[in-house]
Structures are given as structure tokens and as C-alpha cells.
Amino acid sequence: MFLLAKLLRRKGVRIATEEIHRLPWTYVNVLTQTDEKSGRRRLTIRGHEDGEFGIPRLELYQVTLASFDAEKFVLRGVEQVDTGGRLAAVVQELACKPAPELGGDGLLSPRLKEYSRDVATLLT
């Protein structure tokens, strides 16, 4: 499913509201997949890179719908974070809203120009 997304936490810590408002909405592909190592289901966020969807850029486990309103919904899950050679699990929240209909122009559509396609905006 194509969505517009913003991270609401970094390493489990809530991002300040003012900063969240400055962050761009990012066009992403969101899907569920099975983790090959553990066999557990996860929500996977992928970016669109050079015409193909690349490697998972963000993975959330035990995802729940945390809230929703007329404009967006918030997904909350557990994210694995590398803390200098060790893995930690932190709470992550992702604000999402439907991606715009792009029509026949696809990713070249002018409707997409106001949004980021750089998944790094979700990770920094």
C-alpha cells in the first residue's frame, strides 16, 4: 500500500511537535512480511528507488493502530535499534495518510512533487 508517512519517535523518544510539523511527508510502500530469521510478521517500510522498491528501510513488529482522525492515522510498533553492537527494542510511531492518486504520470506526477520520496527523511 502506498502511503505518506512521518516518524513520530527517534530511538523510542517522541520528536517535538514543532519538528514533526517541519518534517516532510514521505511517499513509501508499506506492507507486511515474514521475518526470515524469526518467522514473525512485521510491517515493512520501503522506499521507491530507481523504479524498484528497495530493501526494507524500517521494520516494525507488533504493530497496532494507536490513533486516527480525519487527516491521518498513527501506527505504533516495536522497532529494533542497533546501539553500538547491541540490539535494543524501542517503541516507534508512524503517522500515515493516504498517498495521492498519481494518475497516468505515475511517479512523475506533479501531485507527488510536494512530498519527499527520500526514505532517509524517515530515518534521520
Side-chain angles (χ1 to χ4, degrees):
M1 171 182 285
F2 296 101
L3 295 173
L4 299 174
K6 285 187 183 188
L7 280 188
L8 302 180
R9 294 175 178 265
R10 285 196 186 102
K11 295 188 179 180
V13 177
R14 179 94 171 146
I15 299 171
T17 302
E18 303 80 33
E19 185 177 350
I20 290 170
H21 290 305
R22 286 192 305 266
L23 293 172
W25 285 97
T26 304
Y27 183 78
V28 294
N29 186 16
V30 179
L31 59 148
T32 58
Q33 295 182 306
T34 301
D35 184 314
E36 299 81 24
K37 294 178 185 173
S38 69
R40 295 173 47 206
R41 298 291 289 171
R42 65 182 184 222
L43 185 79
T44 303
I45 310 298
R46 294 173 183 262
H48 195 282
E49 296 144 349
D50 299 327
E52 295 184 12
F53 284 95
I55 60 169
R57 301 299 295 272
L58 177 65
E59 299 169 328
L60 298 179
Y61 295 86
Q62 300 175 345
V63 177
T64 60
L65 178 63
S67 66
F68 65 92
D69 59 33
E71 296 179 12
K72 68 183 180 319
F73 59 94
V74 176
L75 299 175
R76 180 180 296 141
V78 176
E79 177 184 16
Q80 292 182 357
V81 179
D82 185 351
T83 59
R86 294 184 176 173
L87 282 179
V90 298
V91 173
Q92 181 55 269
E93 291 179 321
L94 188 68
C96 302
K97 62 183 183 178
E101 178 59 44
L102 301 179
D105 293 332
L107 293 173
L108 299 176
S109 172
R111 295 179 199 144
L112 197 55
K113 295 203 182 298
E114 65 185 275
Y115 306 109
S116 173
R117 287 182 38 214
D118 182 3
V119 179
T121 63
L122 289 175
L123 307 175
T124 57

